[in-house]
Amino acid sequence: MAAQFGRRLRKGAATTAVAAVAVAALSASQAPGVNDHGRQTAADATPSPDASASDGSATGNSPYYTDLPPLNSPSPSPSTGPGPTPSGATEAGIPATVLDAYKKAESALRDSKPGCNLPWQLLAAIGRVESGQARGGRVTADGTTVSPILGPQLDGNGFALIKDTDNGAYDGNSSYDQAVGPMQFIPSTWAWAGRDGNGDGKKDPNNVYDAALAAGHYLCRNNWDLSDQNDLDRAILSYNNSREYLNLVMRWLEYYRKGTHEVPDGTGTLPDNRSDEAAGARPSPSTPGTPGAGGSKPEPSPRPDKPGRPGGGTTTPKPPTSPPASPSTPPPSTPPATPTDTVHHLEDAGTGKLTAMAGDAFTKRISTRAETKAGQAVAKVRIRFTIVGDTDTTFTNGESVATVATNSSGAAVAPALQAGEKTGGVTVRATVVGRTIAGLDYTATVTERAADALARTGDAPLTCTPGGEFANQVEVKATYKGAVADGVAATATLIKSADDPTANDKGPYFKDADGKAVRTLTGLKTDAKGLLKLPKLYADDTTGTFLLRVNTEGGASLTVELTVAAAETSSPSPSASPSA
């Protein structure tokens, strides 16, 4: 994991190996509903949204802390007598600013994505596993970490191989990416997932408010409902694609759900064990304030002396009888090539016409192929799709950026687009993550909401006496291909005749805000049920049959008859015969 937690002594590989086994064993028996769900393994499967070179993880599958929650209850009974504080109470404490960031992120997601049901305790569980709650809450008043929290460089040496994608802007490393901040985002993920959680106008992965809100949005994408165990599993696995990681986060989630409390910043408990210790070659984190610029490889962390001779010392090694032989093959001076390095250009991979009505999902999806200079397909390359320009169209997960890995055919399929209310052209740009080659632009078109049929909702006659008021109002229902057509623009005009659609200058009329007669209404829209109820109609002194025509975007039209006639008068009774 990223940070060097103060001066705490790190435990040896054997200790961590035992901890890792314990995670798997205990989590398998206690974590609810932990199963494999929905992760594609076939090389030719359609790539999932936000998949990356490291299977779509927010952290690039960086190492994480493996300490288990204590068995003690996090909320000891108030009747507990004098004595040492149970470890559960200590471990359950979350630094004040960090806890506030988690709760604010939950509140923000409750408003913006209520169907996600994000619990702040999930953010706390991930924050504990990723950075020990920002190194025990070593943050400033605005939530920024006192010193950077950086994971090891992802150079393929025991970790994923992710070459630099941000020119060192976030991690200070211009050769390889490193996970950054209290929630450990890799730069390529932060580029689209980053959020401004503390309202300072910046998206800083080192700020716990920004990072917590970004993590919440990341976990809530793809329309996941985190109250459903299957979706919860998928979301956690998308953060770090490891079964042990899922089990561990679930254990901390359940632990924090049982109770927690606020502790002062900087006093939180710090973890001891990390998931990469069992490999026996744990790189030390970058020194705070001086991250590994230029991609220099961190030196291994010192280990405590092994027990043996008194004093913990070791025997003095004997000098070699002859100098060691020089290596036959010098170490490589340049980083190993990746599939990304071979990409020469992007080609359209059969994208159809991208058109949708406002508010609807596009039926076609963008497909881009990565190719070498010779036109050969390149698999396992991250393609970033970005919606650019002034538009409210998004991908169906609500984001404007998505990263997808190419399959064995070199193709990356973007998530479906969701049209907003702004009509017109929308540009989606495909670029290769980690390469500075020309992008590929796609144009999508958002059209006005439309209806292809209109019908009255009632059949009561529309009649009125001269100078009177029509008793019934006209209400119509709009549909499109049989479905409700909501939000469709419409006009209503009292026309001269069936053959002359110009506005009449006599007969029935509507009233404007000043009470003046108007015979054309514009700016009308159907409601969520496709209904449109027109204002009251009035009649002047002209009698006869008149026509009201309602037109909608999309060509639907309805003509309604209106009758203005004098009231019928009753016939006088015959007079009595005169007397003789």
Side-chain angles (χ1 to χ4, degrees):
M1 190 73 283
Q4 183 174 357
F5 289 117
R7 293 181 292 274
R8 291 179 67 90
L9 188 65
R10 292 172 176 145
K11 297 185 179 180
T15 303
T16 307
V18 171
V21 172
V23 171
L26 286 172
S27 300
S29 64
Q30 297 183 31
V34 178
N35 297 300
D36 284 319
H37 299 291
R39 298 200 63 84
Q40 298 184 355
T41 56
D44 291 314
T46 300
S48 300
D50 308 317
S52 72
S54 32
D55 292 332
S57 74
T59 68
N61 293 333
S62 292
Y64 54 89
Y65 288 100
T66 59
D67 297 58
L68 292 168
L71 296 178
N72 307 73
S73 169
S75 301
S77 169
S79 61
T80 302
T85 303
S87 63
T90 302
E91 294 288 342
I94 298 177
T97 299
V98 179
L99 180 60
D100 184 56
Y102 296 150
K103 291 184 175 181
K104 278 185 167 57
E106 179 197 57
S107 177
L109 268 299
R110 189 184 304 121
D111 293 336
S112 62
K113 295 184 178 180
C116 176
N117 296 304
L118 171 79
W120 67 260
Q121 292 91 341
L122 175 59
L123 297 176
I126 291 176
R128 169 71 191 198
V129 171
E130 292 294 344
S131 69
Q133 312 296 19
R135 294 197 193 103
R138 292 185 61 221
V139 295
T140 60
D142 71 346
T144 303
T145 57
V146 174
S147 55
I149 301 177
L150 293 173
Q153 63 179 12
L154 301 174
D155 57 4
N157 183 25
F159 310 110
L161 174 58
I162 304 180
K163 290 191 176 182
D164 176 62
T165 62
D166 66 330
N167 198 28
Y170 295 119
D171 54 14
N173 190 332
S174 58
S175 295
Y176 300 97
D177 273 352
Q178 295 174 249
V180 182
M183 301 304 279
Q184 289 291 279
F185 281 97
I186 55 174
S188 60
T189 302
W190 184 261
W192 64 266
R195 293 293 191 281
D196 177 15
N198 63 350
D200 64 356
K202 297 184 295 184
K203 300 175 183 178
D204 182 3
N206 296 296
N207 182 279
V208 70
Y209 287 99
D210 295 0
L213 183 59
H217 276 277
Y218 186 90
L219 295 164
C220 285
R221 71 198 195 288
N222 298 329
N223 294 319
W224 282 329
D225 177 1
L226 302 185
S227 65
D228 176 86
Q229 187 64 47
N230 291 343
D231 280 357
L232 178 60
D233 288 357
R234 293 186 184 101
I236 297 172
L237 283 170
S238 79
Y239 210 90
N240 192 311
N241 189 19
S242 160
R243 178 60 49 184
E244 289 75 17
Y245 182 88
L246 168 63
N247 294 343
L248 181 60
V249 169
M250 283 301 306
R251 296 216 3 114
W252 278 105
L253 170 59
E254 295 305 315
Y255 181 75
Y256 285 132
R257 276 175 168 166
K258 294 176 182 176
T260 188
H261 58 278
E262 178 184 298
V263 298
D265 288 347
T267 65
T269 58
L270 304 176
D272 290 311
N273 307 298
R274 208 170 72 176
S275 61
D276 61 329
E277 283 185 322
R282 173 179 174 177
S284 63
S286 305
T287 303
T290 57
S296 57
K297 188 174 179 179
E299 294 295 326
S301 301
R303 294 285 183 183
D305 291 332
K306 294 181 179 180
R309 295 181 177 275
T314 59
T315 57
T316 303
K318 295 181 180 180
T321 56
S322 59
S326 300
S328 56
T329 304
S333 57
T334 58
T338 67
T340 303
D341 297 323
T342 68
V343 178
H344 178 265
H345 60 272
L346 296 176
E347 290 284 348
D348 177 49
T351 303
K353 186 177 181 180
L354 300 168
T355 303
M357 286 196 304
D360 288 353
F362 284 73
T363 57
K364 304 293 185 181
R365 296 168 66 180
I366 295 171
S367 181
T368 301
R369 185 170 55 252
E371 295 184 354
T372 65
K373 188 174 183 179
Q376 299 296 315
V378 185
K380 298 182 180 179
V381 173
R382 287 171 292 158
I383 305 298
R384 180 177 295 146
F385 297 95
T386 305
I387 301 172
V388 298
D390 181 19
T391 179
D392 55 357
T393 291
T394 65
F395 293 111
T396 49
N397 58 9
E399 305 291 350
S400 60
V401 182
T403 304
V404 181
T406 58
N407 60 18
S408 61
S409 299
V413 181
L417 288 166
Q418 174 67 44
E421 294 303 320
K422 291 183 179 180
T423 59
V426 177
T427 299
V428 181
R429 182 165 299 149
T431 55
V432 179
V433 177
R435 288 297 304 276
T436 54
I437 62 175
L440 188 61
D441 284 356
Y442 295 83
T443 299
T445 303
V446 179
T447 62
E448 294 280 358
R449 293 172 181 258
D452 57 13
L454 283 174
R456 279 190 67 192
T457 58
D459 56 5
L462 298 167
T463 60
C464 182
T465 58
E469 176 182 314
F470 284 80
N472 298 308
Q473 289 177 247
V474 177
E475 184 181 65
V476 298
K477 182 174 184 179
T479 56
Y480 183 78
K481 295 182 178 179
V484 167
D486 61 310
V488 178
T491 60
T493 305
L494 291 150
I495 61 176
K496 289 184 176 181
S497 69
D499 298 324
D500 185 356
T502 57
N504 209 336
D505 55 1
K506 57 185 177 180
Y509 61 90
F510 300 106
K511 287 183 179 180
D512 64 12
D514 297 325
K516 295 180 180 179
V518 293
R519 291 185 169 87
T520 298
L521 296 179
T522 60
L524 305 173
K525 279 194 175 182
T526 59
D527 65 13
K529 297 181 179 179
L531 299 176
L532 173 62
K533 191 170 187 177
L534 299 179
K536 285 185 177 182
L537 279 162
Y538 303 86
D540 61 14
D541 293 333
T542 309
T543 60
T545 300
F546 301 89
L547 300 179
L548 168 66
R549 181 164 291 171
V550 182
N551 294 315
T552 66
E553 186 72 30
S557 181
L558 177 67
T559 303
V560 180
E561 283 193 358
L562 308 172
T563 301
V564 179
E568 293 184 3
T569 57
S570 58
S571 301
S573 57
S575 57
S577 300
S579 300

